[in-house]
Amino acid sequence: MDEFYEAFGERVRQARTALGLNQQTLGSAVGLNRTSISNIEKGRQRVPLHMLLEFASALHVEPESLLPTATGRTDVLDDLPEDTRSWAENVLANVKGADRG
């Protein structure tokens, strides 16, 4: 179970740094202190389910993007630079849309 919270914390950290937020600012946005954000990002503090929506809103991401995958693997796109990742996500979305139509 600890791996789940470590992966969640890593995703929170990635989203936070991508927005240029510090831990204090994120903490203020979700009603926690900086120490709690640090502990969450390190997987040391468990997050109640209702806080998932708070984090997603503050980080401008979909809630599921913060959740680790069932296999524990991260999305292969996570390692790409932001502009390349956005391009790849758009391509994949268009392919998925074409498959439905």
Side-chain angles (χ1 to χ4, degrees), residues 2-6 13 25-27 29 36 40 42 52-53 57 59-60 62 67 72 80 82 84 89 93-94 96 99:
D2 289 340
E3 291 175 4
F4 177 88
Y5 288 99
E6 288 171 6
R13 185 192 64 74
T25 302
L26 177 58
S36 290
I40 288 167
K42 293 175 183 173
L52 175 62
L53 299 178
S57 177
L59 295 168
H60 307 290
E62 294 296 321
L67 295 174
L80 296 175
E82 178 61 34
T84 304
E89 288 171 342
N94 288 330
K96 288 179 185 176
D99 287 345

Side-chain angles (χ1 to χ4, degrees), residues 9-22:
E10 177 61 22
R11 287 174 177 238
V12 167
R13 185 192 64 74
Q14 288 174 349
R16 177 182 61 76
T17 57
L19 282 178
L21 299 177
N22 62 35

Side-chain angles (χ1 to χ4, degrees), residues 41-90:
E41 289 182 356
K42 293 175 183 173
R44 288 189 245 162
Q45 182 171 328
R46 294 185 175 192
V47 179
L49 183 58
H50 70 277
M51 291 297 296
L52 175 62
L53 299 178
E54 298 289 333
F55 276 97
S57 177
L59 295 168
H60 307 290
V61 298
E62 294 296 321
E64 60 269 13
S65 72
L66 297 174
L67 295 174
T69 61
T71 62
R73 295 181 352 196
T74 58
D75 189 329
V76 295
L77 298 180
D78 287 345
D79 293 331
L80 296 175
E82 178 61 34
D83 59 336
T84 304
R85 184 173 66 232
S86 295
W87 175 84
E89 288 171 342
N90 286 332

